[in-house]
């Protein structure tokens, strides 16, 4: 059958996910606050939990991540905790830098229900995207998509997508380790 030819990536107890999330109202918070190192700290936390960063791009207002996680971890919990950790830090930095207008817009969208649970700001768009990656072709397609993000659509962050520093493009395309060392997906697939 046709399906036999497609290499399935899900091993017994591990899986790769393609995840994306976005700052509230597409505000360029990551860029405004130069927040990249905080995101790399979150990557470190993921690695402490035995996850592997397979590919990523951090754009001014959103990010994409290919993440290998051990079976006993929940992708929703990992991303949820990550967003909480980053939201807390973003609000702290906005307060410190007196970005009152941005903070007000983040307060305005918090629902009554969320307020009763103690939430004061919404930093990210409410949902995030996460898809399991079962085939090598899909994985390569996603890597290609995220690596070209900095030069796609309205983005003109670099002339050559491999030069964008907050991305794993240089690693895959040129064999150059970037700011954040990642794991090649082939090392995971064996």
């Amino acid at each position: 059958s046709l399906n036999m030819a497609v290499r399935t990536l899900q091993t017994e107890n591990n899986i790769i996910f393609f995840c994306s999330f976005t700052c509230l109202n597409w505000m360029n918070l990551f860029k405004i606050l130069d927040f990249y190192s905080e995101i790399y700290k979150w990557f470190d936390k993921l690695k402490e939990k035995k996850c592997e960063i397979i590919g990523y791009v951090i754009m001014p207002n959103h990010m994409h991540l290919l993440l290998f996680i051990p079976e006993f971890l929940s992708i929703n919990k990992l991303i949820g905790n990550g967003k909480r950790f980053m939201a807390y830090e973003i609000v702290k930095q906005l307060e410190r830098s007196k970005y009152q207008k941005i903070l007000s817009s983040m307060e305005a969208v918090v629902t009554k229900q969320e307020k009763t649970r103690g939430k004061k700001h919404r930093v990210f768009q409410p949902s995030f995207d996460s898809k399991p990656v079962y085939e090598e072709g899909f994985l390569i397609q996603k890597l290609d998509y995220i690596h070209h993000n900095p030069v796609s659509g309205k983005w003109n962050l670099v002339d050559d997508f491999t030069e964008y520093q907050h991305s794993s493009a240089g690693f895959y395309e040129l064999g150059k380790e970037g700011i954040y060392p990642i794991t090649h997906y082939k090392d995971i697939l064996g």
Side-chain angles (χ1 to χ4, degrees), residues 54-72:
I54 291 174
Y56 72 93
V57 66
I58 307 166
M59 298 292 285
N61 62 12
H62 68 283
M63 64 174 290
H64 300 290
L65 180 63
L66 277 154
L67 184 65
F68 168 84
I69 69 168
E71 183 191 27
F72 54 86

Side-chain angles (χ1 to χ4, degrees), residues 121-133:
H121 304 89
R122 174 171 297 151
V123 175
F124 295 106
Q125 295 290 87
S127 61
F128 70 90
D129 196 26
S130 99
K131 291 184 178 74
V133 176

Side-chain angles (χ1 to χ4, degrees), residues 37-53 67-70 72-73 78 81 85 180-181 183:
S37 62
E38 292 298 327
I39 295 171
Y40 296 134
K41 279 184 201 166
W42 176 54
F43 286 3
D44 287 340
K45 287 182 193 298
L46 289 170
K47 286 178 88 161
E48 283 164 19
K49 293 182 160 64
K50 304 283 179 265
C51 297
E52 297 288 347
I53 312 296
L67 184 65
F68 168 84
I69 69 168
F72 54 86
L73 294 174
L78 286 172
N81 288 343
F85 160 76
Y180 196 87
T183 303

Side-chain angles (χ1 to χ4, degrees), residues 91-141:
V91 167
K92 214 165 73 177
Q93 290 188 23
L94 287 170
E95 288 173 339
R96 207 180 308 146
S97 312
K98 310 267 188 285
Y99 279 107
Q100 214 35 64
K101 238 171 108 174
I102 296 178
L103 287 163
S104 303
S105 68
M106 291 176 163
E107 285 166 23
V109 290
V110 177
T111 64
K112 273 202 172 79
Q113 194 187 2
E114 288 171 323
K115 283 183 181 141
T116 60
R117 292 200 307 263
K119 185 171 183 153
K120 294 185 181 78
H121 304 89
R122 174 171 297 151
V123 175
F124 295 106
Q125 295 290 87
S127 61
F128 70 90
D129 196 26
S130 99
K131 291 184 178 74
V133 176
Y134 295 115
E135 292 157 8
E136 193 171 9
F138 183 69
L139 182 100
I140 292 166
Q141 183 195 327

Side-chain angles (χ1 to χ4, degrees), residues 40 43 53-59 64-66 139-152 157-185:
Y40 296 134
F43 286 3
I53 312 296
I54 291 174
Y56 72 93
V57 66
I58 307 166
M59 298 292 285
H64 300 290
L65 180 63
L66 277 154
L139 182 100
I140 292 166
Q141 183 195 327
K142 288 300 179 199
L143 274 174
D144 209 45
Y145 167 74
I146 67 179
H147 290 159
H148 283 85
N149 237 213
V151 295
S152 300
L157 302 177
V158 282
D159 292 330
D160 175 345
F161 76 98
T162 61
E163 286 166 8
Y164 186 64
Q165 55 174 349
H166 300 295
S167 153
S168 50
F171 174 78
Y172 280 103
E173 300 288 329
L174 312 170
K176 286 200 325 210
E177 193 163 278
I179 292 178
Y180 196 87
I182 62 159
T183 303
H184 197 294
Y185 76 88

